[in-house]
Amino acid sequence: MIRRIITIDKEKCTGCALCVNACHEGAIGLKDGKAVLLREDYCDGLGDCLPACPADAIHFEEREAAAYDHEAVQKHLAARKRAVTGGCPGSAAAFFGHGHEEQKTVADTVSSASAPAIASQLSQWPVQIKLVAPNAPYFNGCDLLIAADCTAYAYGNFHQEFIKDHITIVGCPKLDSVDYSEKLAQIFTYNDIKSITLTRMTVPCCGGMAMAVQKAIQASGKNIPLKIVIISPDGQIIQTQ
């Protein structure tokens, strides 16, 4: 049938994935760092993704295409939800109870309003690997911190011990359906990176961060010092490589 459906210009696409999140039918995914239409029958032709694209890479076209299949979309969305929430050991719930006794004691003597604020050490924005520009001026000559998302939440003194005096970029190899190594290789190639510190969790899926960084260093052809810090879900540094 002839109907309205989206088309994606791969030359303009930056791989930011904003359209992926904007599409309520899950019709768009990332492949090789670019947005792609996964299946024609997932696209309803309403175009929620169009205004989300900052690069103007998505447009409508009228062409022969499979009809929108609501039942197939619901099955696809359910399968995607199961893939995100199930199976990985890193998804297992855990409660550590840090500071609960201290909080009870402090609450009796000091109001929260009088507690001193802890200054952020973040020195640039954005921080998501998918969103940063590889040629951003702050990368040149920097000590780079590449952090798996969860490490900043697990390790209590993360700002002071890791973010301070570093340019920081973050990501999650399980939740982001993109190969980080391509973007990281561009950052390493375009800039004089003095050193790289990678913080990752102990969970198996987080090993993808280390693989991506090592692959990107190799692709850049540079010999950049790399330190890998492995953090447990209860906030302990398990190993430094």
Side-chain angles (χ1 to χ4, degrees):
M1 62 181 298
I2 302 295
R3 71 181 185 94
R4 188 169 73 164
I5 195 168
I6 64 163
T7 180
I8 302 172
D9 187 334
K10 290 186 177 181
E11 295 299 320
K12 289 184 177 181
C13 177
T14 63
C16 70
L18 294 177
C19 59
V20 176
N21 296 327
C23 179
H24 300 302
E25 287 71 36
I28 304 176
L30 288 180
K31 183 178 180 180
D32 299 326
K34 299 288 186 177
V36 294
L37 180 62
L38 298 177
R39 275 177 44 172
E40 291 181 347
D41 58 349
Y42 289 169
C43 178
D44 60 7
L46 296 179
D48 290 337
C49 55
L50 270 69
C53 179
D56 192 34
I58 306 177
H59 298 279
F60 282 126
E61 64 177 354
E62 296 278 345
R63 64 175 176 82
E64 182 73 30
Y68 173 68
D69 188 334
H70 178 73
E71 183 177 352
V73 167
Q74 295 307 305
K75 290 180 179 179
H76 167 59
L77 293 176
R80 189 171 69 174
K81 183 177 181 180
R82 288 194 300 270
V84 171
T85 59
C88 175
S91 301
F95 176 68
F96 307 116
H98 290 321
H100 274 238
E101 291 303 316
E102 291 86 343
Q103 287 172 4
K104 291 178 183 178
T105 302
V106 171
D108 292 335
T109 57
V110 181
S111 70
S112 60
S114 64
I118 299 175
S120 170
Q121 298 298 320
L122 188 66
S123 60
Q124 103 289 338
W125 188 265
V127 294
Q128 288 290 337
I129 295 173
K130 294 191 298 183
L131 299 182
V132 297
N135 59 350
Y138 47 71
F139 282 125
N140 204 38
C142 79
D143 290 302
L144 181 63
L145 171 65
I146 303 173
D149 285 347
C150 297
T151 57
Y153 295 94
Y155 194 76
N157 202 29
F158 197 82
H159 272 251
Q160 287 295 326
E161 293 192 31
F162 293 106
I163 296 180
K164 185 177 181 180
D165 299 325
H166 286 75
I167 293 300
T168 301
I169 54 177
V170 305
C172 175
K174 182 173 178 63
L175 299 182
D176 290 343
S177 56
V178 62
D179 182 1
Y180 288 137
S181 62
E182 182 178 347
K183 172 67 79 66
L184 293 174
Q186 293 175 349
I187 294 172
F188 302 161
T189 300
Y190 297 161
N191 303 281
D192 178 22
I193 305 295
K194 290 162 54 179
S195 70
I196 301 170
T197 299
L198 169 66
T199 58
R200 54 152 293 189
M201 301 297 293
T202 54
V203 295
C205 53
C206 216
M209 291 293 286
M211 293 177 61
V213 173
Q214 291 164 339
K215 180 180 176 181
I217 293 175
Q218 184 177 14
S220 73
K222 296 184 177 180
N223 184 22
I224 307 174
L226 171 63
K227 179 172 71 174
I228 301 177
V229 181
I230 303 176
I231 298 173
S232 66
D234 64 346
Q236 304 297 313
I237 294 179
I238 301 301
Q239 186 178 2
T240 300
Q241 302 174 343

